[in-house]
Amino acid sequence: MRLPHRFWDVAAPVYDLATVRGRAGANQAAAYIAERLSPADLLLDAACATGLFACALAPQVWRVLACDASPAMVARTRAKARRKRLRNLAARTGDVTALPLADDAVDATVAGNVLHLLEQPEQAVAELKRVVRPGGYIALPCYVLTEGTQSPGGTRLWHRAGFSPGQQWQAEDLLEHLERWGLQVEDHQVFAAFKPLCVARCRND
């Protein structure tokens, strides 16, 4: 079952602390994503959580639009952007499966650590394809399984709080699904973050 935004509202104040041991890997993932961005890009961070990717990527682009279904997560993103003096970042509430944007509205998007939470992640991918211009860039960081494990590492505390992922993939399975859903996966890399983090860099066909 998809977690309601109320779960993430409660989790928002402790989210950064709970994931701090994966921060170095997440920052490496952000740098990997940034390699394909242009200073003229309008970037969407869909399901932005507390704004890690939005804030890390804002200096690399013209403007960042960030959204999350959880108002508390949006508030955290705004506060983080203010602390970092990022004047080109705007955050609002918005669902990754029903984005509040017109067709072909942005040049690029990142949707981090959200696909595995959804019962129907293909709906989110379809929305990302809709709002990104043809030929645009879609970066999808996603927690994945490692070989021989039953669930991504580091989830015990979240499970106790009621967390349960909608999907559990190994990296190869994730990439196959993305191709099936109409994305051109150009390359990918797995980083050692809070859990194994596979970043797929895709083009919007």
Side-chain angles (χ1 to χ4, degrees):
M1 179 180 296
R2 185 180 178 188
L3 293 169
H5 70 74
R6 293 184 299 279
F7 175 93
W8 299 111
D9 286 342
V10 173
V14 298
Y15 185 86
D16 286 342
L17 180 62
T19 58
V20 68
R21 68 183 177 85
R23 192 70 46 76
N27 288 337
Q28 291 171 356
Y32 179 69
I33 292 167
E35 291 175 356
R36 298 290 180 86
L37 293 171
S38 162
D41 281 343
L42 174 59
L43 171 69
L44 169 68
D45 183 352
C48 63
T50 58
L52 185 152
F53 287 119
C55 291
L57 298 173
Q60 312 299 321
V61 298
W62 169 59
R63 186 167 175 79
V64 176
L65 306 176
C67 69
D68 197 281
S70 162
M73 290 290 194
V74 171
R76 292 270 163 173
T77 297
R78 289 172 177 163
K80 191 176 292 184
R82 285 195 298 271
R83 289 196 304 272
K84 294 177 178 291
R85 294 185 169 88
L86 297 171
R87 301 183 185 278
N88 66 333
L89 194 161
R92 61 179 293 187
T93 56
D95 189 330
V96 68
T97 64
L99 292 166
L101 291 172
D103 295 355
D104 307 336
V106 299
D107 300 295
T109 188
V110 56
N113 307 326
V114 65
L115 294 184
H116 70 288
L117 302 178
L118 306 175
E119 288 187 346
Q120 296 180 301
E122 64 274 18
Q123 292 181 351
V125 172
E127 272 295 273
L128 297 172
K129 286 175 57 63
R130 180 184 67 80
V131 303
V132 174
R133 63 171 173 78
Y137 173 39
I138 298 177
L140 295 169
C142 187
Y143 292 135
V144 294
L145 298 171
T146 54
E147 188 173 353
T149 62
Q150 296 297 313
S151 62
T155 59
R156 186 174 303 171
L157 180 62
W158 292 103
H159 285 170
R160 289 177 179 174
F163 171 85
S164 179
Q167 311 291 330
Q168 298 188 78
W169 298 299
Q170 291 191 1
E172 295 78 7
D173 299 326
L174 170 64
L175 300 176
E176 288 179 4
H177 278 81
L178 296 179
E179 293 275 2
R180 189 178 308 145
W181 297 331
L183 290 174
Q184 179 184 344
V185 180
E186 296 190 327
D187 51 32
H188 75 284
Q189 189 166 332
V190 178
F191 298 88
F194 173 63
K195 312 165 197 172
L197 182 61
C198 178
V199 180
R201 301 194 298 193
C202 310
R203 286 291 166 191
N204 188 24
D205 291 338

